[in-house]
Amino acid sequence: MATSQGANSYRNARTSLKPHVKSKPTQQRRNSTGSVNGKEHAAVPGRVRVAVRLRPRNAEESVADADFADCVELQPELKRLKLRKNNWDADTYEFDEVLTEFSSQKRVYEVVARPVVESVLDGYNGTIMAYGQTGTGKTYTLGRLGEEDNAARGIMVRAMEDILADVSLETDSVSVSYLQLYMETIQDLLDPANDNITIVEDPKTGDVSLPGASLVDIRDKQSFVELLRLGEAHRFAANTKLNTESSRSHAILMVHVKRSVKGIDAALSSENGNHPHMVKSIKPPLVRKGKLVVVDLAGSERIDKSGSEGHTLEEAKSINLSLSALGKCINALAENSAHVPFRDSKLTRLLRDSFGGTARTSLVITIGPSPRHRGETASTIMFGQRAMKVENMVKLKEEFDYKSLSRRLDIELDKLIVEHERQQKAFEDEIERLSTEAQHRISEAERNYVDSLEKERSKYQKDYMESIKKLEEQFVMNQQKNEESHMKLSGEIPRVSAEELADLKKMLRKETHLRKAAEGEVNNLKIQVAELKKSEASRKSEILKLHTMLEDKERQKEKLEGEIAILQSQLLQLSLEADETRQQLDRGGFEKEMGGLNSLTSQVKHQQQASGNGEKPSIAKLFEQVGLQKILSLLEAEDADVRIHAVKVVANLAAEETNQGKIVEAGGLTSLLNLLKSSQDETIHRVAAGAIANLAMNETNQELIMAQGGISLLSLTAANAEDPQTLRMVAGAIANLCGNDKLQTKLRSEGGMKALLGMVRCRHPDVHAQVARGIANFAKCESRASSQGNLWTKSGRSFLIEDGALPWIVQNANNEAASVRRHIELALCHLAQHEINARDMISGGALWELVRISRDCSREDIKTLAHRTLVSSPTFQAEMRRLRVNY
């Protein structure tokens, strides 16, 4: 190659590669919290970065090549390398970094590996790989432990130092696997007995994993260095003419970093007192899983130079074959070939994510200065040049940590149960103590009352008897005095002395006073008895209150147990949603299997099959335990997460036909329409539109949706939405309404058809499929109305043609997506059945599509309908004769 050609090659490479050299999408995503509700992160382009490192001359080259100049000349400030052909001609190449023989290990790490390590810490996959001729310093660059000289530490040790310095070992984890690919077998360097590890590929995503490899947790640098030393001791090496310790296998170090995203956590709160424990919000924590792959490739070598023979020769052949397969894959990726032969070698299968995948890849190619090995050096340089053309789509590996949330909820649930049992026992003990104390006080009061009453009775009875006795004695004395006075018949009038009369009056007064005192004491005793009875009644009332409190606490216990059961059902629902979210994250894009409402129906059938096997799905359990009214009330909750979960539950219930009438009767349709009107959350719009689409499968519900202004709300949602999944749900709902003959005119007047046709701005095939289905339903209703003599427009033409839908219909009549093409073909056949539409269809190019459909359509019913339409239309027949189309 001439010098001018080398310069042109440099300029071309610079022009094509320069825009990608400085791109750092990892830094843009640094410390971002990611998606909370399972949204996919968009992949960003990231070209493979390539650095070239020159090894200094060794002792042998210093002697053998003393009279010759180095075959390469480095220009690190310009990031260029010149490969000399002779003394006056050289080829010039440009790389991302050019490292001279004086570059330190720290400098190599900073420019080659640190950006990749930072990306892994941010949740991306990363690959660092060394490629070059045997003996040019690949293992020195990557795997040097630096035990004698700390500055000589290689990329592996320095990368682990940065990772351990950045992660928190309390919440994060770091684990490693160390493998070698020897003679097309994968062997575990940490467990030599495990010498035939199989590669497992995910059939959906194509991701590669090695489940049989040892995975060791790393807590500090020293343990990691010990693992590297153990692995290097088990790695195959041999003595060749080019290298006294030539690696005979490809070494692969895999570092798995799992980090919790700070700021996103599951919040559990409770209220004490008479209110039961309530879970306010359940937010699973986010984790980012980054994987760093460091690949120390065995050196490429020429047999005549290395002197390999015997088993060493077989090893060299295997190494060269795997490196050749890697070169073919990189060539195919650089040329944007339709087929990339990843399956030709286990090495290329392992590196599938590193080249053309989702990992951020950094390649360092190592070369020597000796002119004797100029051919190997040129081959290495060209390998690096081709690798720089490979474009990866770097993607954040972030997902919900549902297992951690489940464990924390289980612990919190156990704590709540233990606390409830403790409070229940304390309450029962307190009730028992109060009851015992009340009984004791009542018994003591009764004893005191009886004793006091008996004492008072005895006292007054004694006083009364003494008074009676005194009166009897006084009466006897008086009686005797009277008898003596009567015996005296001397004619004198008997006289009673004044003293006797005074004594008698005094005794009567005293007796009267005693009687009044006794009556007063009796009244006092009656009052005390009444007070004791009143005290007894109050104690009985207090006991009744205690019994009532016991019953209330028992009811609260039953209610709390019911809420615990609801919480367990929510945990089961979260597990199901975790599986769905994980599958969505693995697929790396929008779901391809949900074709409008058919997918929702299939999901319900899956749940019905589960219930047929003896276990009800989680949504059905939630429905039975919580109740529809409570679920619908959550649609108006202040917490956005609660509204999102509630509308998801309603959408799942609406997918089952038996639940649709209950939902509408309970006001669920009105609530869903209000959500479209009031909420600004894209997720709520998407799920609510899906639920409305399910309800719109029923003709009665279709009229209710139209009567409550549903088409206007759906049209407004479609106008403001950008998410393809939201547009697909809205288009599915409008498509169902398009199939009702009674609603055609109102559907168009309220902007429904305009909104449906406007959604073709989204390029997603699933959205186009729903739009095509709605057009087919609308055209079918128009065809049926025209056959009955009912014309919706004054001119008699189709609404679809008047609204300008015909060009899009013709354009997508032969769409690659079968779901779009099938509905468009059916719509064309229905439009063509009305003769007044024929002229517009001919001028719009629809005639040729009808002819193609009648000949090539895969569905026999549509093919027959197109043929019958063409034959029965005079306008179409005349045009085909004019165009001399044989039909």
Side-chain angles (χ1 to χ4, degrees):
M1 179 185 296
T3 305
S4 60
Q5 293 175 342
N8 290 333
S9 174
Y10 159 70
R11 283 193 293 269
N12 293 336
R14 183 176 182 182
T15 301
S16 61
L17 299 176
K18 187 174 181 180
H20 305 288
V21 172
K22 299 298 181 181
S23 63
K24 292 184 178 180
T26 300
Q27 298 300 325
Q28 296 172 2
R29 303 192 68 90
R30 187 73 169 173
N31 295 330
S32 63
T33 59
S35 167
V36 176
N37 295 307
K39 295 182 181 178
E40 289 291 334
H41 291 278
V44 294
R47 178 178 60 78
V48 175
R49 291 179 56 85
V50 181
V52 58
R53 187 181 194 187
L54 177 64
R55 170 182 58 78
R57 287 194 178 193
N58 55 33
E60 179 188 354
E61 292 171 345
S62 298
V63 175
D65 301 331
D67 298 332
F68 300 96
D70 291 348
C71 67
V72 292
E73 177 187 348
L74 304 185
Q75 296 176 331
E77 66 282 356
L78 298 177
K79 297 183 180 181
R80 296 179 187 170
L81 175 148
K82 288 186 177 182
L83 179 63
R84 291 194 179 94
K85 292 182 177 182
N86 45 50
N87 291 334
W88 59 86
D89 193 8
D91 292 332
T92 303
Y93 302 94
E94 181 183 7
F95 290 93
D96 293 305
E97 292 293 340
V98 175
L99 304 167
T100 67
E101 64 270 33
F102 305 110
S103 297
S104 65
Q105 290 282 74
K106 181 179 180 181
R107 168 66 178 166
V108 174
Y109 174 75
E110 292 291 337
V111 301
V112 174
R114 183 181 290 276
V116 178
V117 174
E118 290 179 349
S119 295
V120 172
L121 289 171
D122 281 338
Y124 297 85
N125 287 346
T127 302
I128 304 169
M129 189 171 72
Y131 177 91
Q133 182 187 9
T134 182
T136 54
K138 297 182 298 300
T139 303
Y140 176 84
T141 300
L142 296 180
R144 189 64 176 253
L145 300 182
E147 295 175 313
E148 298 82 4
D149 181 6
N150 194 47
R153 304 189 317 279
I155 286 176
M156 290 183 181
V157 177
R158 293 177 185 270
M160 184 55 68
E161 290 175 352
D162 279 358
I163 290 174
L164 292 175
D166 197 72
V167 301
S168 171
L169 295 180
E170 296 179 356
T171 58
D172 306 334
S173 65
V174 181
S175 55
V176 300
S177 299
Y178 200 14
L179 315 166
Q180 70 173 352
L181 178 60
Y182 175 71
M183 300 286 285
E184 283 300 299
T185 60
I186 302 175
Q187 303 176 4
D188 197 335
L189 290 175
L190 304 180
D191 182 12
N194 190 7
D195 59 358
N196 191 14
I197 300 174
T198 57
I199 300 175
V200 178
E201 293 186 21
D202 191 318
K204 295 182 179 179
T205 64
D207 291 344
V208 174
S209 61
L210 301 170
S214 301
L215 196 62
V216 181
D217 290 334
I218 300 298
R219 308 292 293 180
D220 52 57
K221 171 189 170 183
Q222 188 58 36
S223 62
F224 176 68
V225 172
E226 291 297 330
L227 286 179
L228 290 183
R229 185 183 296 108
L230 175 64
E232 288 300 322
H234 296 144
R235 189 176 177 186
F236 288 98
N239 184 5
T240 67
K241 292 180 180 180
L242 297 177
N243 191 354
T244 57
E245 293 184 0
S246 175
S247 301
R248 313 310 291 169
S249 65
H250 307 299
I252 304 167
L253 175 70
M254 294 184 177
V255 182
H256 301 269
V257 181
K258 181 179 179 181
R259 307 193 68 185
S260 297
V261 178
K262 296 180 181 178
I264 302 298
D265 202 356
L268 287 174
S269 62
S270 61
E271 297 179 1
N272 297 325
N274 295 328
H275 298 286
H277 296 278
M278 298 293 291
V279 177
K280 287 190 176 181
S281 62
I282 301 176
K283 297 181 180 178
L286 286 172
V287 292
R288 290 178 178 171
K289 295 181 178 180
K291 181 173 70 174
L292 174 64
V293 180
V294 184
V295 185
D296 180 11
L297 296 174
S300 59
E301 60 183 56
R302 291 187 179 178
I303 307 303
D304 56 344
K305 290 186 178 182
S306 64
S308 299
E309 57 184 13
H311 186 67
T312 306
L313 177 60
E314 295 300 320
E315 292 175 338
K317 290 180 180 178
S318 178
I319 292 170
N320 289 340
L321 283 174
S322 61
L323 293 177
S324 175
L326 177 60
K328 290 179 181 178
C329 291
I330 289 178
N331 287 343
L333 290 169
E335 296 171 358
N336 292 322
S337 176
H339 172 67
V340 181
F342 281 116
R343 304 189 67 82
D344 287 359
S345 170
K346 288 186 178 180
L347 176 63
T348 54
R349 291 176 67 189
L350 288 172
L351 298 179
R352 185 168 188 170
D353 193 47
S354 303
F355 292 97
T358 62
R360 188 176 300 283
T361 301
S362 186
L363 170 67
V364 55
I365 59 173
T366 57
I367 59 175
S370 175
R372 290 180 295 147
H373 303 307
R374 184 190 179 282
E376 289 82 351
T377 300
S379 176
T380 300
I381 291 172
M382 293 311 298
F383 180 88
Q385 288 287 296
R386 288 190 294 270
M388 289 177 70
K389 298 179 181 179
V390 176
E391 188 86 12
N392 292 350
M393 295 302 291
V394 183
K395 187 176 180 182
L396 184 65
K397 305 296 181 180
E398 186 177 84
E399 63 184 33
F400 290 127
D401 189 3
Y402 284 97
K403 292 183 179 179
S404 174
L405 174 63
S406 179
R407 288 194 298 270
R408 282 171 38 213
L409 286 177
D410 286 339
I411 293 172
E412 188 68 20
L413 187 60
D414 292 339
K415 289 181 180 178
L416 289 173
I417 292 174
V418 171
E419 178 65 17
H420 170 69
E421 291 176 348
R422 186 190 65 78
Q423 292 181 357
Q424 182 69 18
K425 187 176 184 305
F427 177 76
E428 291 175 354
D429 293 342
E430 181 67 15
I431 292 299
E432 185 176 357
R433 185 186 68 79
L434 291 174
S435 178
T436 304
E437 183 179 349
Q439 289 292 342
H440 178 71
R441 290 171 60 184
I442 291 172
S443 299
E444 185 178 359
E446 288 177 348
R447 285 196 302 271
N448 293 336
Y449 170 72
V450 171
D451 292 343
S452 176
L453 189 64
E454 183 65 26
K455 288 179 181 179
E456 291 294 331
R457 189 184 66 81
S458 299
K459 176 183 175 182
Y460 287 111
Q461 187 175 7
K462 182 179 178 181
D463 292 342
Y464 177 75
M465 293 303 295
E466 289 178 354
S467 299
I468 294 298
K469 185 177 180 181
K470 288 180 179 180
L471 288 173
E472 288 178 349
E473 290 176 353
Q474 187 68 32
F475 180 76
V476 170
M477 291 174 64
N478 292 332
Q479 193 73 19
Q480 289 176 357
K481 289 178 178 182
N482 290 330
E483 288 179 355
E484 290 176 356
S485 63
H486 283 294
M487 290 175 65
K488 294 177 179 181
L489 301 174
S490 57
E492 298 179 0
I493 298 173
R495 296 180 179 178
V496 179
S497 65
E499 295 179 356
E500 291 178 352
L501 185 60
D503 291 338
L504 185 60
K505 289 181 177 180
K506 185 177 180 180
M507 289 176 64
L508 285 174
R509 284 196 299 270
K510 184 177 180 181
E511 187 66 28
T512 302
H513 179 70
L514 289 174
R515 182 177 293 276
K516 289 181 178 179
E519 289 177 355
E521 291 294 333
V522 170
N523 290 332
N524 289 335
L525 287 175
K526 289 181 178 180
I527 292 171
Q528 291 180 7
V529 169
E531 290 178 351
L532 287 173
K533 288 182 178 180
K534 188 183 295 183
S535 175
E536 183 179 3
S538 66
R539 290 190 180 94
K540 288 182 180 179
S541 175
E542 187 176 352
I543 292 173
L544 289 175
K545 289 181 180 179
L546 291 175
H547 283 298
T548 304
M549 289 176 61
L550 279 174
E551 292 174 356
D552 291 339
K553 290 295 181 181
E554 192 65 28
R555 286 194 293 271
Q556 290 179 3
K557 177 183 177 182
E558 293 175 358
K559 189 173 182 180
L560 183 59
E561 289 174 349
E563 290 175 351
I564 291 173
I566 292 172
L567 182 61
Q568 291 173 342
S569 68
Q570 289 178 343
L571 282 175
L572 179 60
Q573 172 66 12
L574 279 175
S575 299
L576 294 176
E577 292 182 359
D579 293 337
E580 292 180 2
T581 307
R582 191 174 295 106
Q583 291 173 4
Q584 292 173 356
L585 292 173
D586 290 340
R587 282 196 291 269
F590 295 104
E591 297 177 354
K592 301 298 183 182
E593 300 295 331
M594 296 184 63
L597 301 183
N598 294 331
S599 64
L600 295 173
T601 305
S602 65
Q603 183 180 356
V604 174
K605 289 181 178 178
H606 177 71
Q607 293 181 347
Q608 291 173 345
Q609 291 173 359
S611 63
N613 294 332
E615 50 182 52
K616 294 184 178 180
S618 60
I619 295 298
K621 287 183 178 180
L622 192 63
F623 184 31
E624 294 176 359
Q625 296 172 359
V626 178
L628 181 59
Q629 286 294 344
K630 189 170 183 180
I631 295 173
L632 293 178
S633 68
L634 294 178
L635 294 177
E636 301 176 359
E638 294 182 0
D639 193 327
D641 290 333
V642 173
R643 292 200 304 273
I644 291 173
H645 286 297
V647 76
K648 286 183 178 179
V649 171
V650 174
N652 284 325
L653 291 173
E656 189 172 350
E657 187 176 355
T658 56
N659 297 331
Q660 292 177 359
K662 300 175 183 178
I663 293 173
V664 174
E665 290 175 4
L669 177 59
T670 304
S671 299
L672 292 171
L673 292 173
N674 287 336
L675 279 179
L676 288 183
K677 182 178 181 180
S678 61
S679 176
Q680 302 298 323
D681 190 279
E682 185 80 4
T683 302
I684 291 180
H685 285 178
R686 180 176 68 253
V687 182
I692 293 171
N694 282 340
L695 297 176
M697 297 175 69
N698 180 279
E699 184 174 348
T700 304
N701 294 342
Q702 291 172 356
E703 296 177 359
L704 288 175
I705 291 171
M706 296 295 291
Q708 297 183 24
I711 191 63
S712 300
L713 293 174
L714 289 171
S715 302
L716 182 61
T717 303
N720 296 330
E722 295 296 336
D723 179 35
Q725 295 303 314
T726 304
L727 291 173
R728 179 172 63 81
M729 293 298 182
V730 174
I734 296 177
N736 286 341
L737 296 175
C738 287
N740 192 323
D741 295 342
K742 304 174 184 177
L743 307 177
Q744 298 293 306
T745 304
K746 190 174 182 181
L747 186 67
R748 182 173 182 256
S749 63
E750 293 186 6
M753 291 307 299
K754 182 179 179 181
L756 182 68
L757 297 176
M759 281 184 275
V760 301
R761 71 180 187 278
C762 178
R763 302 290 184 178
H764 200 279
D766 289 347
V767 178
H768 283 195
Q770 294 301 324
V771 173
R773 187 169 70 86
I775 290 174
N777 287 344
F778 197 92
K780 184 177 180 180
C781 291
E782 281 191 330
S783 175
R784 191 158 49 228
S786 65
S787 64
Q788 297 172 359
N790 298 326
L791 299 179
W792 294 338
T793 62
K794 294 181 180 180
S795 62
R797 298 165 63 210
S798 168
F799 278 151
L800 294 172
I801 293 177
E802 289 194 349
D803 289 344
L806 186 59
W808 186 84
I809 295 174
V810 174
Q811 181 183 355
N812 288 272
N814 200 17
N815 194 293
E816 294 180 357
S819 57
V820 178
R821 184 177 62 253
R822 172 169 55 86
H823 290 305
I824 292 298
E825 290 175 346
L826 190 60
L828 279 174
C829 292
H830 285 308
L831 286 174
Q833 287 185 335
H834 193 26
E835 184 68 18
I836 200 167
N837 295 331
R839 288 297 176 190
D840 293 303
M841 296 182 71
I842 290 172
S843 61
L847 176 59
W848 298 107
E849 294 300 333
L850 283 171
V851 173
R852 179 191 59 77
I853 294 169
S854 67
R855 293 175 176 174
D856 303 330
C857 184
S858 58
R859 285 190 49 171
E860 196 63 34
D861 55 341
I862 299 178
K863 184 176 180 180
T864 303
L865 180 60
H867 176 75
R868 187 169 63 246
T869 301
L870 289 173
V871 171
S872 61
S873 172
T875 305
F876 286 145
Q877 286 292 319
E879 182 66 16
M880 285 190 291
R881 284 194 299 271
R882 188 183 70 81
L883 297 174
R884 300 180 181 178
V885 177
N886 295 325
Y887 192 80

